[in-house]
Amino acid sequence: MKCRDVEKILERMVFEDVPVDAGLKEHIASCPVCSQAFMDALKAREVMGVIRRSVPEPRDLDEITDNIMYAIQQEPGGKAIIPLVLQRFLAAASVALLLLFGYEQYGVVRKVTALETKFSETRGESLYSNPQRLASALDINRAGISLSEIERFISPKNRARLLSLTSLKSNDQRK
Amino acid sequence: MFDSLKEKAVPNTPDGFLLFLNFTVYPLVAAKNMMPENLQETIRSIRNGDHAAFRKLVTIYQQPAYSLSFRILGNEEEARDAVQESFIKVWRKIGSYDPSRDFIPWMYRIIANTSTDRLRTIHRHTMVPIDLVSQKLEEVMQRDSSTAADNREIAILIEGLTGMLPEKQRLVFILRDIEGMTSNEVELITEMTETSVKSNLYHARKCVRERLLRILEKERAIK
């Protein structure tokens, strides 16, 4: 057995019940460093034993019980307000709603990003630099117009039609 | 499973004399009066709002609850408050407890979380000086081996050894190496994975052992 192996055993020995085998005994007898480490480990294990055996005692257990019982008598508690089955159903429904909402929001973001790209291409400016145009893009999205339709609208020929559908119209007319 | 947790409950049956003797020598007492089927019946009654059944549960488990709470908090008053708060939470949350799972780890989780939360709010992470730990240790060790340390001494020793540990490591160490729970029980109470428990325990033990060795060196130097 090497000193490194002894060190590993001693590490465990402080906290667990590790049997002292013949190999360990033999090494300890011939190595003064490990012998000292072994004695320390034994002492450390004894300390851990004292800590484990010393169970903290409350001064007045009855008083703690009475305080708890007094507190719960003021509470409606006990019975489940919502049955477990319903709790699980509500949890599942919440997750489903969250996913649905997340998917819908993802669609909105995707459409607005696409619109942003289109508007930048046609007008050479960012939608986000103009709050009114961003609002218009959201209007187009809410109106349920598909991206392919928008692409058609964006062409110079149909641009007037696009403007007539959204608040971009008033903005552009003002210009 | 959970035998070590069930054993911690205090007996209140007439046949508890031998258990009481066992309790004075070795703190983990077998709760013969709270066998699993009995416990399930008690829980059913509590879920129906039975105060007497809840009192029975409190009477049996408040001592081990106090022990755990005190070892986490290291303060008598705080531990008392934490135990009271924990049992009130048990009463409030019993409706959401899933009876297909073990009750005891569920209850211990509430006790451990309440105590840890309390520790966080009172910011009691003071480092006990090695000299003081060493002195208390010597006093305790010089006594008869069957005589346990009192609450203040326990607080100094535990705080002295675990005060420097991060929250998770400290909790895992207290549950596993001081409360004497199995790794599986620690996983269920802390809701940590097996790897996480092992890793936290490894680092905690390393720190505690180093601290212990420093204390022993100090003792040697004094002698």
Side-chain angles (χ1 to χ4, degrees):
Chain A
M1 196 176 272
K2 288 178 183 167
C3 293
R4 207 174 38 218
D5 302 325
V6 174
E7 174 62 16
K8 278 181 189 166
I9 296 171
L10 297 185
E11 250 177 44
R12 279 181 56 216
M13 211 178 91
V14 177
F15 306 102
E16 289 171 30
D17 241 355
V18 180
V20 182
D21 62 18
L24 181 66
K25 276 182 190 167
E26 202 180 306
H27 181 92
I28 288 165
S30 61
C31 175
V33 178
C34 288
S35 173
Q36 182 58 55
F38 178 72
M39 296 309 287
D40 283 345
L42 280 183
K43 183 94 176 164
R45 182 155 81 170
E46 203 181 330
V47 173
M48 283 307 298
V50 167
I51 292 173
R52 251 180 238 130
R53 278 198 302 276
S54 306
V55 179
E57 294 274 5
R59 262 173 291 161
D60 194 352
L61 275 173
D62 291 341
E63 197 187 311
I64 296 179
T65 315
D66 290 343
N67 287 347
I68 295 166
M69 293 312 293
Y70 177 77
I72 66 146
Q73 270 153 14
Q74 322 297 317
E75 302 255 343
K79 274 187 179 176
I81 297 163
I82 306 168
L84 197 65
V85 179
L86 189 60
Q87 280 178 30
R88 284 180 176 166
F89 171 77
L90 286 174
S94 310
V95 172
L97 276 173
L98 207 68
L99 287 173
L100 203 69
F101 181 72
Y103 183 73
E104 198 260 341
Q105 281 301 104
Y106 169 71
V108 170
V109 170
R110 208 178 54 169
K111 267 189 179 179
V112 171
T113 312
L115 281 169
E116 153 80 359
T117 314
K118 288 289 166 200
F119 274 77
S120 306
E121 281 168 5
T122 53
R123 304 184 66 90
E125 63 180 72
S126 170
L127 256 187
Y128 291 92
S129 63
N130 186 332
Q132 274 183 311
R133 292 232 163 77
L134 180 62
S136 305
L138 291 168
D139 283 343
I140 291 168
N141 176 56
R142 285 192 198 104
I145 302 165
S146 71
L147 278 174
S148 56
E149 278 179 295
I150 289 163
E151 265 175 334
R152 271 194 292 119
F153 291 144
I154 291 298
S155 65
K157 191 180 162 192
N158 291 317
R159 194 160 177 280
R161 203 173 149 202
L162 167 68
L163 296 177
S164 72
L165 272 174
T166 68
S167 56
L168 273 174
K169 185 181 175 185
S170 53
N171 193 30
D172 272 36
Q173 276 175 348
R174 246 181 272 130
K175 277 189 177 177
Chain B
M1 202 188 278
F2 310 120
D3 287 345
S4 70
L5 293 181
K6 281 165 193 154
E7 280 168 3
K8 285 169 193 291
V10 176
N12 59 4
T13 48
D15 64 338
F17 180 65
L18 283 176
L19 296 172
F20 174 74
L21 281 180
N22 188 18
F23 182 70
T24 55
V25 180
Y26 204 69
L28 308 182
V29 182
K32 286 182 179 174
N33 56 337
M34 210 57 160
M35 295 305 279
E37 63 276 12
N38 199 349
L39 180 63
Q40 284 307 321
E41 201 182 300
T42 306
I43 293 161
R44 254 196 306 277
S45 303
I46 296 170
R47 283 169 74 92
N48 289 325
D50 185 342
H51 285 181
F54 189 69
R55 179 181 273 274
K56 188 179 167 190
L57 183 88
V58 172
T59 310
I60 292 167
Y61 285 103
Q62 63 182 346
Q63 161 62 49
Y66 180 83
S67 165
L68 172 62
S69 199
F70 183 88
R71 282 165 165 168
I72 292 173
L73 288 155
N75 177 291
E76 285 187 0
E77 289 308 309
E78 289 293 340
R80 275 169 69 95
D81 289 350
V83 169
Q84 286 171 195
E85 197 184 328
S86 302
F87 277 106
I88 293 166
K89 280 184 187 169
V90 168
W91 172 261
R92 280 180 193 158
K93 291 180 176 178
I94 196 98
S96 62
Y97 159 68
D98 180 353
S100 65
R101 294 183 177 209
D102 276 291
F103 176 76
I104 297 168
W106 180 83
M107 184 174 69
Y108 267 70
R109 195 181 308 145
I110 292 176
I111 298 162
N113 287 344
T114 307
S115 306
T116 313
D117 288 348
R118 199 166 266 269
L119 185 70
R120 226 175 278 145
T121 54
I122 59 173
H123 304 294
R124 262 199 84 259
H125 258 307
T126 46
M127 198 69 171
V128 180
I130 280 193
D131 291 346
L132 181 60
V133 184
S134 174
Q135 183 200 328
K136 283 290 159 204
L137 197 60
E138 210 179 330
E139 284 173 25
V140 173
M141 302 289 268
Q142 274 173 358
R143 279 183 224 149
D144 180 2
S145 61
S146 63
T147 314
D150 65 30
N151 284 0
R152 198 176 136 63
E153 288 167 338
I154 299 170
I156 290 172
L157 293 180
I158 295 178
E159 205 60 34
L161 292 181
T162 66
M164 70 296 184
L165 297 177
E167 197 179 286
K168 277 185 182 176
Q169 286 181 23
R170 184 180 153 99
L171 181 62
V172 169
F173 181 79
I174 288 173
L175 291 172
R176 180 76 176 83
D177 283 342
I178 299 181
E179 286 284 316
M181 292 176 190
T182 65
S183 297
N184 197 314
E185 289 164 351
V186 177
E187 283 165 35
L188 286 164
I189 291 170
T190 58
E191 292 185 301
M192 285 183 200
T193 60
E194 191 187 344
T195 323
S196 179
V197 167
K198 272 186 186 168
S199 155
N200 277 299
L201 187 64
Y202 170 79
H203 291 293
R205 279 179 172 182
K206 206 171 170 217
C207 275
V208 171
R209 188 171 171 241
E210 275 167 20
R211 186 100 171 138
L212 269 169
L213 294 179
R214 276 180 65 199
I215 292 165
L216 295 176
E217 266 171 32
K218 191 97 187 168
E219 265 188 13
R220 262 201 306 273
I222 292 167
K223 279 174 188 169

